[in-house]
Short mmCIF file of all heavy atoms in Angstrom, two decimals:
data_model
loop_
_atom_site.label_atom_id
_atom_site.label_comp_id
_atom_site.label_asym_id
_atom_site.label_seq_id
_atom_site.Cartn_x
_atom_site.Cartn_y
_atom_site.Cartn_z
N ASP A 449 1.29 94.90 -55.31
CA ASP A 449 0.21 94.15 -54.68
C ASP A 449 -0.70 93.66 -55.79
O ASP A 449 -0.71 94.25 -56.88
CB ASP A 449 -0.63 95.07 -53.77
CG ASP A 449 0.08 95.36 -52.48
OD1 ASP A 449 0.84 94.51 -52.02
OD2 ASP A 449 -0.14 96.47 -51.94
N SER A 450 -1.47 92.62 -55.52
CA SER A 450 -2.46 92.22 -56.51
C SER A 450 -3.57 93.27 -56.50
O SER A 450 -3.70 94.04 -55.55
CB SER A 450 -3.03 90.84 -56.18
OG SER A 450 -3.80 90.94 -55.00
N ARG A 451 -4.39 93.29 -57.56
CA ARG A 451 -5.49 94.26 -57.61
C ARG A 451 -6.42 94.09 -56.41
O ARG A 451 -6.94 95.06 -55.86
CB ARG A 451 -6.28 94.08 -58.91
CG ARG A 451 -5.67 94.81 -60.09
CD ARG A 451 -6.42 94.48 -61.36
NE ARG A 451 -6.00 95.32 -62.47
CZ ARG A 451 -6.26 95.04 -63.74
NH1 ARG A 451 -6.94 93.96 -64.06
NH2 ARG A 451 -5.87 95.85 -64.70
N CYS A 454 -4.91 95.66 -53.28
CA CYS A 454 -4.63 97.10 -53.31
C CYS A 454 -5.86 97.89 -52.84
O CYS A 454 -6.99 97.50 -53.09
CB CYS A 454 -4.25 97.51 -54.73
SG CYS A 454 -3.55 99.18 -54.80
N ASP A 455 -5.58 99.03 -52.17
CA ASP A 455 -6.67 99.85 -51.64
C ASP A 455 -7.35 100.70 -52.71
O ASP A 455 -8.46 101.17 -52.52
CB ASP A 455 -6.13 100.79 -50.55
CG ASP A 455 -5.67 99.99 -49.34
OD1 ASP A 455 -6.23 98.89 -49.14
OD2 ASP A 455 -4.77 100.45 -48.63
N CYS A 456 -6.66 100.91 -53.83
CA CYS A 456 -7.24 101.77 -54.87
C CYS A 456 -8.43 101.03 -55.53
O CYS A 456 -8.58 99.83 -55.39
CB CYS A 456 -6.20 102.10 -55.93
SG CYS A 456 -5.90 100.77 -57.09
N GLU A 457 -9.21 101.80 -56.26
CA GLU A 457 -10.35 101.14 -56.90
C GLU A 457 -10.23 101.07 -58.41
O GLU A 457 -10.89 100.27 -59.05
CB GLU A 457 -11.65 101.87 -56.51
CG GLU A 457 -11.90 101.72 -55.03
CD GLU A 457 -13.31 102.02 -54.63
OE1 GLU A 457 -14.04 102.58 -55.46
OE2 GLU A 457 -13.65 101.71 -53.49
N GLU A 458 -9.35 101.91 -58.96
CA GLU A 458 -9.28 101.99 -60.42
C GLU A 458 -7.95 101.55 -61.00
O GLU A 458 -7.69 101.70 -62.18
CB GLU A 458 -9.56 103.43 -60.85
CG GLU A 458 -10.99 103.83 -60.56
CD GLU A 458 -11.27 105.24 -61.03
OE1 GLU A 458 -10.30 105.97 -61.28
OE2 GLU A 458 -12.44 105.59 -61.13
N GLY A 459 -7.07 101.03 -60.17
CA GLY A 459 -5.75 100.64 -60.66
C GLY A 459 -4.74 101.75 -60.42
O GLY A 459 -5.00 102.90 -60.77
N CYS A 460 -3.62 101.41 -59.82
CA CYS A 460 -2.59 102.41 -59.53
C CYS A 460 -1.22 101.78 -59.75
O CYS A 460 -1.12 100.60 -60.11
CB CYS A 460 -2.73 102.92 -58.10
SG CYS A 460 -2.35 101.64 -56.88
N SER A 461 -0.17 102.54 -59.49
CA SER A 461 1.19 102.02 -59.75
C SER A 461 1.58 100.91 -58.77
O SER A 461 2.59 100.25 -58.96
CB SER A 461 2.20 103.16 -59.71
OG SER A 461 2.13 103.81 -58.46
N ASN A 462 0.78 100.73 -57.70
CA ASN A 462 1.06 99.63 -56.75
C ASN A 462 0.54 98.29 -57.25
O ASN A 462 1.01 97.24 -56.85
CB ASN A 462 0.39 99.88 -55.39
CG ASN A 462 1.15 100.89 -54.59
OD1 ASN A 462 2.35 101.04 -54.77
ND2 ASN A 462 0.43 101.59 -53.72
N CYS A 463 -0.49 98.35 -58.10
CA CYS A 463 -1.12 97.10 -58.51
C CYS A 463 -1.13 96.89 -60.03
O CYS A 463 -1.62 95.87 -60.50
CB CYS A 463 -2.55 97.01 -57.95
SG CYS A 463 -3.65 98.31 -58.51
N GLU A 464 -0.58 97.86 -60.75
CA GLU A 464 -0.55 97.71 -62.22
C GLU A 464 0.77 98.24 -62.77
O GLU A 464 1.33 99.21 -62.25
CB GLU A 464 -1.68 98.52 -62.87
CG GLU A 464 -3.06 97.98 -62.58
CD GLU A 464 -4.15 98.77 -63.29
OE1 GLU A 464 -3.85 99.86 -63.82
OE2 GLU A 464 -5.28 98.27 -63.33
ZN1 LIG B 388 -3.90 99.89 -56.90
#
Side-chain angles (χ1 to χ4, degrees):
D449 284 330
S450 68
R451 276 175 171 164
C454 192
D455 294 332
C456 78
E457 295 197 347
E458 293 182 344
C460 67
S461 57
N462 283 333
C463 61
E464 292 183 348

